Amino acid sequence: MKPKLHLVVRGATHFLNYERPYFEKYFDLVSQPGPDTVVFAYGPDAFDIPPTLPARLRVAYVLPGYGPSPLYDEDRRAHLLDTIEASYDLVFTNPGPIYEALKSSPKVVTHLFAIKTGIARHFRPRTRIDSLVHISNEQPQKDSARNAEIMALTGLRHELFPPRTAYTPMQQRMYRFRKWLRKHNLPAPMFLHPGYARHGRVVQKYLEYDGFVHVAGEVRPYSDGKYTASFLEAGLTGSILFWHDTLGLGNDLETVFDLPLDPPAAAGRILEIRDSLDVAAHSRQTSDEIRTKFDPDAITRFRCEQIEARL
C-alpha cells in the first residue's frame, strides 16, 4: 500500500506541477492531512505550515527562497533548525547553500534537484559555439551584470534574458496585494513576477543559443542554488554549459565547464573551449548526463524510500 501524502505548497507550484505525476506514482495523494498521513511541505514558504497540522510524519523540501539565505542569516537558520528538531521527522534539500546551512541536523537528507527532463525532447545538437545566453530573474545572487559582461567580452552574439526592466507602479501594487492575501491565507491570483518569462518562451531561448553562461559571486546575505533550473534545462536541450563554483562545493557534472569569477578570464576561457571542443559530441553528452542525474522519477523514488523507512 502506498503511503498517504498531503502536499503543502505555496510559491513553488511551478516545480511541483511537473513533479506531481511522480509523487502520484509513489504516494497516495490526499487533499486533507490526518493522523495517518505524511504531510509534506514543498518549498521554503510552506515550511511553517505542517507543524500546525495533524500528521503521521512531517516532511519538508527546502529550496533557496527570495530573501536572505539561512547560510548567512543566523536567525533564519536557527528558526529552521529549531523547527526541524521540534516538529519534523525528515527534511530534504539539494546540495548547495541550504544543505550547508542545515547539515548539522541528522534529519536533513540531500538529493539532486529534479528538473523537467521532458524538455530533452527539444534537443538541438550544437555544432559550434557562436552565441551565448544567460537566463535568470533579477535577484542579487544571480549576478546578471557579471554574466552580461563576460558574454560581451567574448565578442560572440549574446543575450541577457529576460530584459531587465523596472517594476511599473501597477505591478508593485499587484504584488503588494498578492503578498497581503497570502499572508492572511487567502486565495491569491497567479501571475508572473516581473523579470520572469513564460516557461515555453524560456525553452525557445535555450534553443536560440549555443552556450549558457552562469557565473556569480556570493552576494551576502543572499545565496543561489548550486545549479539553477534554467542552467540545467538549457543543458537538456544540448546547450554547452559554462559555470562558476560560487560556493566552492565542487562541480558534480562532467560535462559542465568551470569558469573563473573574473570576467576577462572567464571570457578567455570560453573562447579557449570554443576552439578546442568537439561541440556536437559534447552537446549530446551534456543532455544525456543531466537527464540521467536529475531525473524526477529517481529522485521521487528516493524520497519515498526515505519516508517509508521512517513510518
Side-chain angles (χ1 to χ4, degrees), residues 18 22 115-123 236-237 291 295-296:
Y18 65 74
Y22 305 100
I115 60 172
K116 194 173 184 179
T117 49
I119 294 169
R121 71 181 182 276
H122 299 292
F123 175 79
L236 279 174
T237 74
R291 186 176 64 254
D295 173 30

Side-chain angles (χ1 to χ4, degrees), residues 49-174:
I49 299 175
T52 69
L53 302 176
R56 181 179 178 186
L57 202 74
R58 292 187 179 88
V59 180
Y61 177 38
V62 185
L63 302 160
Y66 293 105
S69 170
L71 186 60
Y72 303 123
D73 186 325
E74 293 182 4
D75 290 342
R76 178 62 178 160
R77 182 168 67 248
H79 172 71
L80 290 171
L81 288 170
D82 289 347
T83 307
I84 291 168
E85 179 61 28
S87 303
Y88 277 97
D89 301 282
L90 176 65
V91 171
F92 296 111
T93 190
N94 309 128
I98 303 300
Y99 180 66
E100 293 303 307
L102 303 181
K103 64 184 180 182
S104 62
S105 171
K107 297 180 181 180
V108 174
V109 174
T110 185
H111 61 66
L112 291 178
F113 183 56
I115 60 172
K116 194 173 184 179
T117 49
I119 294 169
R121 71 181 182 276
H122 299 292
F123 175 79
R124 175 177 72 80
R126 279 39 167 205
T127 56
R128 293 178 56 82
I129 305 175
D130 290 337
S131 59
L132 301 169
V133 68
H134 170 79
I135 299 176
S136 69
N137 61 317
E138 188 59 17
Q139 298 180 53
Q141 66 269 30
K142 303 296 184 180
D143 207 352
S144 59
R146 186 188 305 270
N147 287 278
E149 181 182 1
I150 291 168
M151 293 189 296
L153 286 169
T154 66
L156 303 175
R157 180 173 70 89
H158 63 276
E159 182 176 358
L160 179 65
F161 184 81
R164 270 46 183 173
T165 56
Y167 293 4
T168 66
M170 176 60 75
Q171 287 171 329
Q172 290 175 340
R173 288 194 294 271
M174 290 170 68

Side-chain angles (χ1 to χ4, degrees), residues 118-300:
I119 294 169
R121 71 181 182 276
H122 299 292
F123 175 79
R124 175 177 72 80
R126 279 39 167 205
T127 56
R128 293 178 56 82
I129 305 175
D130 290 337
S131 59
L132 301 169
V133 68
H134 170 79
I135 299 176
S136 69
N137 61 317
E138 188 59 17
Q139 298 180 53
Q141 66 269 30
K142 303 296 184 180
D143 207 352
S144 59
R146 186 188 305 270
N147 287 278
E149 181 182 1
I150 291 168
M151 293 189 296
L153 286 169
T154 66
L156 303 175
R157 180 173 70 89
H158 63 276
E159 182 176 358
L160 179 65
F161 184 81
R164 270 46 183 173
T165 56
Y167 293 4
T168 66
M170 176 60 75
Q171 287 171 329
Q172 290 175 340
R173 288 194 294 271
M174 290 170 68
Y175 279 94
R176 283 197 297 267
F177 179 55
R178 183 169 183 261
K179 186 177 180 180
W180 183 90
L181 289 170
R182 292 181 63 184
K183 179 180 178 181
H184 292 84
N185 295 316
L186 296 171
M190 291 300 297
F191 46 79
L192 283 177
H193 196 285
Y196 280 87
R198 297 288 177 189
H199 193 243
R201 181 71 182 114
V202 173
V203 174
Q204 290 175 0
K205 279 294 173 185
Y206 301 150
L207 295 167
E208 289 177 23
Y209 292 89
D210 302 320
F212 190 110
V213 178
H214 190 92
V215 177
E218 279 291 85
V219 184
R220 299 187 183 202
Y222 304 97
S223 188
D224 206 1
K226 184 174 179 179
Y227 304 111
T228 71
S230 292
F231 177 82
L232 294 171
E233 287 182 351
L236 279 174
T237 74
S239 182
I240 307 302
L241 300 179
F242 301 100
W243 173 83
H244 176 71
D245 188 1
T246 311
L247 292 170
L249 300 177
N251 184 0
D252 302 323
L253 296 172
E254 295 178 3
T255 56
V256 169
F257 291 103
D258 290 279
L259 296 184
L261 192 61
D262 176 64
R269 180 66 181 135
I270 291 172
L271 295 176
E272 289 174 6
I273 293 166
R274 176 178 184 263
D275 293 337
S276 61
L277 185 68
D278 181 340
V279 177
H282 199 88
S283 175
R284 186 167 296 282
Q285 290 164 5
T286 301
S287 182
D288 289 345
E289 181 181 27
I290 292 173
R291 186 176 64 254
T292 300
K293 288 190 174 180
F294 298 89
D295 173 30
D297 182 57
I299 289 166
T300 307

